[in-house]
Each structure stands twice: as structure tokens, then as C-alpha cells.
Amino acid sequence: MNDYDVIIVGAGAGGGIAANVLAKAGKRVLLLERGKWLKDEEIPYDHLRNHRLSQYGHNTGPDLEGNPRVFAPSNGAAQLVRPHEGGYNNNAMTVGGGTRIYGGQAWRFMPQDFRMATTYGAPEGSSLADWPLTYEELEPYYERAERELGVCGSDNGNLFQAPRKSGYPMPPVPDTPTRRVLQEGAKRLGWNAFPVPMLINTTPYQGRPACVQCKYCVGFTCPSNSKNGTHAHIIPEAIATGNCTLVTQAIAERIETDSAGSANGVTYYQETEGTTRRVTARAKVVVVSGGAIESARLLLNSTSAKHPHGIGNESDVVGRNLQGHYYPGAIGQMEESVYSGLGPGPSIATCQFNHGNEGIVGGGMLADDFIKLPIIFWKRALQPHVPLWGEANKSWMRSEYTRTLQIMGPTQDIPNPECRVSTDPSVRDRYGIPVARLSGTTHPETVRTAYYMREKAVEWLQASGAKDIYAYPIGLGLSAGQHQAGTCRMGDDSATSVTDRWGRVHNHENLFVIDGSLHVTNGGFNPVLTIMALAFRSSEFIAENL
């Protein structure tokens, strides 16, 4: 007998929406989350331990001990990494997942982003491919995500955006001195620039207040409950139906299968009051929503006689094509202060260079950055000639903190099948489960695209009056981070993809993936709105067909 209609592993952007849609459709849902449902006071505003700067720890899980990964860089020996260390490529693990502490930039991918191989051809050594669906098919679900979660933005100004059928639910974030300066610079260049769309309330919405424009946004929980993640009302609505059971501190060990090899449940470890128990729950449908690294790890660890290399991995595709985003950019100093002291930070962007750049595969979005805490400014925005300590450093910080402009943005990753997640049976977590092993690099074309976008950031700063401009160095490496994607890519061919166009694992009628793992390419944008749109689409399909 099935305990549930659906088990969902992961309560983040994808899993939270899936739970909401399926519970409202009358399905009995078990929602498993490896983290806790943290209260605001349990997510400290620690300048050295957060998801923006995890110098000595982070603020939203997983625990630093007992949860290692193996990072195997192409230019060095494999090493164990803890969750707060860079090679881990951590995303928040709590109810709401990364949406609990994300900045909330709410971008739609462009139509060309779904047809990258057709538009550009596949560079040698890459796995660049088209999506099995089009922007037009996903557009209604982008609109639904914007409406149901809550997105602010401007209906006018972005000449390069994907076609829209309706405006944003809320107006954009308020004007700032930075926006005004950069808008003038864009006009001098003849560039199109506009306010950044964000999953943040600029007016009261969905029963929650407007943003108070504090300095703590990305990397921290929202003190006014104005940031629109799945923890805010999407998951509470699912629970309120009476059809959704949320179990926290529950880490999935494996997907269970019957004698025919079909998924029929999940075995997980649950920590309760200092004790750990191993539980197996059964369901008609299993949905994997752990993020691109943990979702791949779970599928690969779910071995059986029918699936000796992991469930869904008959073609050795699970875990391959790991993508994130390079963030090229530049910083420069203005004559006058451009810092108002009000958040969230990103106020103006251009999409002029996402596509159509001669000799470049794809492109990216450029925008001003979130407000930097002073320690992050010291770590990431010092000019090379400035000493790291002493009176000269302090003087420069006092003088330049309010006069610094930064332009940056995500570039289109060109996927490499050798950039991947595998499992390492010789290294196990505190529960004895083989951990994720991250290896390989992005494709060299990603680096070339990043260099191109970096030069555009420099141009924008120069046109805006900035001096002493410094552009960040760029090198070839593994790309994942909090924008991790691609490891269970969707497609029509089971030889080159893991799921079909609905996120259903090939040859498995009742096993789905709903998170950034599905992304064939990750766009030149923050990907969360696309994760949400796909989640609405796939979970609606499950509700109607299974």
C-alpha cells in the first residue's frame, strides 16, 4: 500500500512549488527537507558566516561537520571540502532552500536560450544542445510564477526582453543614485538599460509587507518578510491544505524500486531530538528536487539489480553537464558618492548583450551589484594597489566605500559533459551515504564569453564617469555555485538526456526531477524564475496525469 501519492525530496524553489500544486490538487504529499525550518533569529546576520561570505561558516546549513564533498579540480589533487568552503558549491539547505537567502533577481530566459545549438552550433568538445521545449511553451508558467510568488519590475524600458503577455505584479525597486548615474552612462553609449526585476515586494503583496530597503539581502533572511521565496507562503499554503506532510532534518539515502525497477518510495534518515532513524516511505510518484548536485547524487546512489549505475543513468548522463555561472565584471571609483545606504542594491541592468555578439556564443546580463557589507567590500572590491591592512587601507575604505560602482552579471555557460557530479564511495557523510564528487571544468567558450562581458562592464563604467577601473581576472574552472544546473538535463533522446520535456526520468513513468538539474543551458541570467516556471509546469502535469 502507498503511504502517499507523491514524495518530494527537497523543499526549495522547485520542490516547494511542486508540493503546493500537488497538495492543492488533492494529492497526499510527503515533502522531505534535509535542513531545518529555521526561524529568522536562527539565521544570524554574521558578516563572516553567511551565504554571501562564508569565511568561517554559513548561516543556513548544512552542518559544517559530517557533510563533506570531494572537489577534484583539473589542476590539482582531489580534496575534501566542508559546506562553507568554495569548492563545495553550497546552496542553502533549509525549508525554502536557496530562496530563503537569495537576492531574488527574477529573470525570464530569452527565446534564444532554449535554442542555443540551433542559434550558434555546438562548439567542439561541448554538449551545447536545444531544450525540448520553447520559450512560448514556458511563458504562461513564467507569468504564473511572477504572479503567485510576487515579482516587481518595469513594464517599459527593456527592449531586449522575452515577449510578455502581461505586466509585472508590482512596480520596480525605488530609484537610487547608482541607477541615475548608470542610466546616464548607458544613454551615452546608446545602450538600453532598465530596472532589475526582483522577487521582492515593493508594495504589500500576498499578505506580506513591502521591502524596508535594509542592507542585508542576498545571503541573509529578510527581516521584514518581503522576499518572495517558497518558504514565505508557497509551502505554508501546501501544508494548510491538510494534504502535505513536511518532514525536516530528513536526508534521502536512496530511491526505492520494485522488482521491475520502477520507483516506489524513498528511504531517508531523520534526526529527531538527538536520535537518528532510518525510514522508508512509499508513494505512487517520486519527485527529486534537491538541486543539481544533490539530485544527481541521489539518483546515482539509488543502485539496484535493475539499475547498477544508479536510477535513470542507463546512458551515463546523470551528473554530467554541470553548470553554474561565471560572474565577470568590473569596479570603478566615482568623483561623488553614489551610495544611498538603502538596499537591496541591483537597480539597473542591460540585456543588450545576451545574444547577437559577433564571434561569441551567447552572452549575459549586466547589472549593478547588491550592497556590500564592509568586510565583503574589503575582500572583493579593493583596487590592486591598495594595501590589505594599515592606515592606507583604512583611509581608502573610508574614502571609496560610498563612491564605488560595480557592474557584473551571469554569463551563458557552455556545457561540458566532463564537468560533472559523481559519487565517491570512499568518502561518506555522517549517515554513511557516498558523497558528491565534483570534477571537470566549464567549456573554454564560457571563458571567452566572460571576457567579452567583462569588457562591456568596463565600457559602462567608463561612460558613467568612473575612474581607476579594475576588471576581475577570469580563468577556466568548474562552474556551479548557487546557480547550479544541468546534471539531469531534459531532452527527447534518452541517450543524451536524463528526463523528458516534463521532467520525467526516461523509462520511468513515475519518477520526476523538478529543479535546476533540468536546464539544458542555464541562460545568461539568474535561473530561479525558470526553475519556478518549470516546477509549475511539471507538477501540473503530474497532478493531471498520474
Side-chain angles (χ1 to χ4, degrees), residues 31 182 205 209 310 349:
L31 179 60
L182 290 173
Y205 194 81

Side-chain angles (χ1 to χ4, degrees), residues 185 188-189 455-467 469:
R188 292 186 189 105
L189 292 167
E455 292 310 305
K456 294 301 177 183
V458 170
E459 285 184 46
W460 197 355
L461 288 171
Q462 289 173 333
S464 301
K467 309 295 183 183
I469 295 170

